[in-house]
Amino acid sequence: MQTLLNKQWHHLPHHEVTDLLESDQHSGLDLFEIKHRQERFGANVLTPKRGKSPLLRFLLQFHNPLIYILLAASLVTLILKDAVDAAIIFAVVLVNAIVGYIQEAKAERAIEALAQTMITEANTLRAGKTVRISAAELVPGDIVLLQAGNKVPADLRLLRARDLQV
């Protein structure tokens, strides 16, 4: 399988690609080979992007031209010896940042929850049988069967297609 990485596999005939992947287009991979490849390659998932720290997300609430103007107005008001007005302006900016931070945190949690519920599945040919599995369980060499309306669960090489529309 290592030799496939050195070749331009998208230019190769499909039977040569399946040979290099040590797979069979009529029966797929056997169960032992699937376990071995899952251990070797891991899950078919994208590495999640590392999130920003809570402190940085809070400080980014102040990164806005209007906030800069309000903070400058608060500073000018303080210099003009009107501490009450300066404190009120600063308090409004601080409350705005807190509310923005809370809303952003709720939105991120909602997106994470939505991503957890959106599990992509794939019909694959394994050990001569068609099985429906989670896309995260796919391994290199799996034969994936696509039908109209299916999401493409991974990088795939098409072996056969009829009336394909993307």
Side-chain angles (χ1 to χ4, degrees):
M1 181 172 337
Q2 192 65 6
T3 58
L4 185 64
L5 298 175
N6 300 329
K7 296 185 179 253
Q8 294 184 358
W9 57 270
H10 55 282
H11 289 293
L12 299 175
H14 66 81
H15 58 82
E16 192 173 333
V17 173
T18 54
D19 288 344
L20 288 169
L21 286 170
E22 299 166 5
S23 183
D24 184 287
Q25 68 182 20
H26 302 293
S27 62
L29 297 171
D30 63 34
L31 298 179
F32 174 76
E33 186 62 27
I34 292 166
K35 292 288 184 201
H36 175 69
R37 291 183 188 196
Q38 284 174 338
E39 291 170 2
R40 182 174 175 199
F41 296 106
N44 177 41
V45 292
L46 295 173
T47 306
K49 187 174 138 183
R50 190 164 181 255
K52 298 174 187 154
S53 72
L55 177 63
L56 182 59
R57 283 195 334 237
F58 179 71
L59 291 177
L60 285 174
Q61 299 299 318
F62 294 97
H63 186 59
N64 184 326
L66 183 58
I67 299 298
Y68 295 151
I69 292 169
L70 287 172
L71 288 174
S74 176
L75 183 64
V76 168
T77 306
L78 185 63
I79 291 171
L80 294 175
K81 308 274 189 225
D82 196 352
V84 174
D85 286 347
I88 290 172
I89 294 171
F90 185 74
V92 166
V93 169
L94 190 60
V95 167
N96 179 62
I98 291 170
V99 169
Y101 174 80
I102 291 170
Q103 286 179 332
E104 187 176 320
K106 284 182 182 179
E108 284 184 6
R109 282 194 302 270
I111 289 171
E112 287 172 9
L114 186 60
Q116 294 295 326
T117 63
M118 302 281 296
I119 297 173
T120 303
E121 292 186 332
N123 290 321
T124 59
L125 192 59
R126 288 188 166 180
K129 297 178 183 173
T130 301
V131 293
R132 189 162 184 84
I133 61 169
S134 167
E137 297 175 31
L138 288 173
V139 295
D142 261 331
I143 305 297
V144 178
L145 308 172
L146 293 176
Q147 296 176 347
N150 285 21
K151 290 183 183 178
V152 178
D155 288 346
L156 300 176
R157 165 66 194 264
L158 293 176
L159 301 179
R160 286 186 302 269
R162 187 181 77 212
D163 299 328
L164 177 67
Q165 294 182 1
V166 179

